[in-house]
Amino acid sequence: MAHEFESVSIEQVRAYWDARPCNVRHSPKPVGEREYFDEVEARKYFVEPHIPRFAEFARWKGKRVLEIGCGIGTDTINFARAGAEVTAVDLSEVSLAIARRRAEVFGLRGIRFIQANVEELRRSVPVEPYDLVYAFGVLHHTPRPRRALDEIRDFLGEDGVLKIMVYHRHSWRALAIVLRYGKGAFWAADRVIARHSEAQVGSPVTYTYTRRGIRALLRAAGYRVESIQVEHIFPWKVSDYVQYRYSKVWYFRVLPDRVFRWMERRFGWHLLVTARSDGR
């Protein structure tokens, strides 16, 4: 399956995200209005509260941040609000247009937005040292993530930090996808998980990783892993969620919070990894 993903073209990936940028339907308000962006942010961080903790926005005040795969700019804006000097890149020009509008609405004119393919980052982005390279939910959607990591390494300063999120193979979400959509066909898990990994069905590329697998990939690409955390089980009824209502699935509703958190830290969908270049 890795071979099949590697054969997917960047144009296919771009077309997929142009058709429906990530989180673009997090608000029913007209896209581009201040109220729309406020609701998108509130919804995103409500269902994924680990993101601000992981990103540590305030930590990067006065620092240089390169965000890979900025999407419609939720995290981008919060890095900039916290005082970081932000360069934000994305493959999707549709997503970038919304992110640029967002920066304009909030008066954050110092953000540099660049359309770029992370596997050929140096072609589009000037090679400069950054204090943080941040890629949340991005590298598992590019056909050749090792090539992307090779490119990114040249943008890390001497003490630069890499923070990434990739999908966790040993997760509640992956199991649920295979059981529901794959009818338990674990031999076809890669294909089934990829197809149903996002709100928009049919993702052309979605890798999933074990803790050991992502550590090995990063080590091979010249990084030293400092920490790996597991987070995020989505407990909400999808039928209500898409109507902007929040009610938990019954078995999560009766589960004690401490048990739910125990499950998230072991079987969450998000692998949060912090690493640095090993100096090669």
Side-chain angles (χ1 to χ4, degrees):
M1 180 51 67
H3 175 74
E4 181 173 337
F5 284 162
E6 288 174 358
S7 70
V8 174
S9 71
I10 288 294
E11 288 69 30
Q12 287 175 270
V13 178
R14 181 187 293 114
Y16 174 83
W17 291 109
D18 277 348
R20 183 173 174 176
C22 189
N23 298 148
V24 75
R25 298 184 184 176
H26 268 24
S27 169
K29 297 287 196 309
V31 176
E33 294 186 357
R34 187 185 188 98
E35 293 79 8
Y36 167 82
F37 292 124
D38 285 341
E39 287 190 5
V40 167
E41 178 175 324
R43 186 171 174 87
K44 181 181 178 73
Y45 294 153
F46 176 77
V47 298
E48 298 177 295
H50 55 286
I51 293 178
R53 295 195 300 268
F54 179 64
E56 300 177 294
F57 297 118
R59 173 181 172 184
W60 309 105
K61 180 179 181 179
K63 305 291 187 179
R64 305 189 73 231
V65 173
L66 174 60
E67 183 180 7
I68 307 296
C70 67
I72 64 173
T74 305
D75 292 347
T76 314
I77 294 303
N78 281 283
F79 280 118
R81 281 173 175 159
E85 179 185 339
V86 182
T87 297
V89 308
D90 204 277
L91 181 64
S92 165
E93 189 57 54
V94 175
S95 299
L96 282 170
I98 299 172
R100 290 189 185 102
R101 171 60 182 164
R102 192 177 203 152
E104 179 183 331
V105 165
F106 289 103
L108 297 166
R109 304 186 184 279
I111 303 170
R112 178 169 57 167
F113 291 101
I114 302 174
Q115 195 279 331
N117 166 16
V118 66
E119 295 183 13
E120 298 177 343
L121 197 59
R122 287 171 290 191
R123 287 192 176 188
S124 304
V125 182
V127 178
E128 301 164 337
Y130 287 85
D131 300 291
L132 171 67
V133 178
Y134 177 82
F136 196 94
V138 177
L139 297 181
H140 51 231
H141 287 313
T142 198
R144 291 161 290 273
R146 168 61 193 274
R147 185 179 298 180
L149 286 166
D150 288 341
E151 291 281 316
I152 288 170
R153 196 173 59 245
D154 286 348
F155 292 84
L156 280 173
E158 184 176 348
D159 295 317
V161 175
L162 174 69
K163 282 180 172 281
I164 66 172
M165 184 278 279
V166 294
Y167 288 152
H168 184 203
R169 190 169 186 83
H170 293 165
S171 64
W172 178 271
R173 169 73 171 161
L175 176 63
I177 289 173
V178 174
L179 292 178
R180 179 176 180 182
Y181 299 106
K183 309 302 182 185
F186 289 95
W187 57 90
D190 290 326
R191 181 190 302 276
V192 174
I193 291 171
R195 180 168 176 76
H196 297 281
S197 60
E198 304 299 331
Q200 176 188 354
V201 175
S203 171
V205 178
T206 303
Y207 290 94
T208 57
Y209 295 92
T210 63
R211 293 174 179 85
R212 180 178 297 179
I214 192 61
R215 189 183 293 274
L217 176 64
L218 285 162
R219 185 184 300 118
Y223 296 88
R224 182 180 73 257
V225 174
E226 293 190 340
S227 68
I228 299 179
Q229 306 165 245
V230 177
E231 286 284 357
H232 189 48
I233 291 176
F234 187 83
W236 311 102
K237 292 174 62 176
V238 174
S239 58
D240 286 344
Y241 181 75
V242 298
Q243 298 296 322
Y244 305 98
R245 298 192 302 267
Y246 298 93
S247 58
K248 290 183 178 180
V249 178
W250 70 267
Y251 43 83
F252 286 127
R253 192 165 59 246
V254 300
L255 204 64
D257 286 345
R258 67 181 182 280
V259 177
F260 179 73
R261 285 295 295 137
W262 178 89
M263 289 180 62
E264 280 197 304
R265 290 190 294 268
R266 286 155 181 81
F267 307 113
W269 182 224
H270 292 178
L271 276 178
L272 308 175
V273 186
T274 301
R276 296 180 188 267
S277 171
D278 70 3
R280 293 184 202 177

